[in-house]
Amino acid sequence: MKALVVDDAPDIRLLADLVLSMAGFTVSAASSGSEALRKLAAGDLPDIVLLDVQMPDVDGWETLTRVRADSRTADLPVVLCTVKGLPEDTLKGWSLGCDGYLGKPFDINGLVDELHGVLHRTREQRLAIRRAKVAELRPLVSPSQQP
């Protein structure tokens, strides 16, 4: 299994690399959304992407939007990993098409479990979970803050 870890913080990239490598993943990393998009465009796609939201250059929201807009990567599983944990942030992530949403700091076992869980779901199951999460979160977010 191949994972692409996208985070501007070197310590988070290193930690995720160590944890995921020990769990059997082959890990590559990108320090920005633009670097991640270049890697994805270059060809050899990962099985899953772990994506930070708050990054300079191209943030995680825009990176996810571009991943979903590209026919080659539209179905690529993406798990957001971010400090942005307010309901409106979580709603935005699920609305843009994430397949998982982890808060930072993350639990090491929770990270591995989340990625394995997402990878074991079919495309249809991932889409159904997205719809359910959006429906669950929408009532918690005022209309002016909804994506």
Side-chain angles (χ1 to χ4, degrees):
M1 295 173 290
K2 295 183 290 186
L4 173 61
V5 175
V6 186
D7 200 301
D8 61 318
D11 56 334
I12 298 292
R13 289 194 311 273
L14 178 61
L15 178 61
D17 186 329
L18 289 170
V19 169
L20 295 176
S21 294
M22 288 178 23
F25 286 86
T26 301
V27 180
S28 63
S31 61
S32 68
S34 57
E35 183 183 356
L37 293 167
R38 282 193 303 274
K39 284 184 176 228
L40 294 173
D44 191 25
L45 294 178
D47 298 302
I48 195 162
V49 176
L50 181 66
L51 179 62
D52 183 25
V53 170
Q54 291 183 286
M55 296 183 290
D57 185 19
V58 178
D59 68 17
W61 304 130
E62 181 62 23
T63 303
L64 179 57
T65 299
R66 292 185 194 180
V67 165
R68 292 292 174 245
D70 183 334
S71 62
R72 287 183 347 93
T73 58
D75 292 327
L76 183 63
V78 176
V79 174
L80 292 176
C81 186
T82 179
V83 296
K84 296 186 78 62
L86 295 174
E88 55 266 27
D89 299 318
T90 309
L91 175 60
K92 183 173 185 175
W94 288 105
S95 296
L96 290 174
C98 75
D99 298 295
Y101 201 100
L102 288 171
K104 285 182 184 176
F106 54 83
D107 173 75
I108 291 172
N109 293 325
L111 171 65
V112 173
D113 291 347
E114 182 70 15
L115 268 61
H116 279 144
V118 169
L119 283 168
H120 286 98
R121 294 181 193 121
T122 65
R123 177 183 181 277
E124 291 74 25
Q125 288 170 325
R126 292 194 323 267
L127 291 171
I129 289 170
R130 279 184 214 157
R131 286 190 299 271
K133 291 288 187 179
V134 168
E136 173 188 320
L137 291 162
R138 189 158 272 139
L140 304 176
V141 178
S142 70
S144 66
Q145 294 177 309
Q146 291 192 17

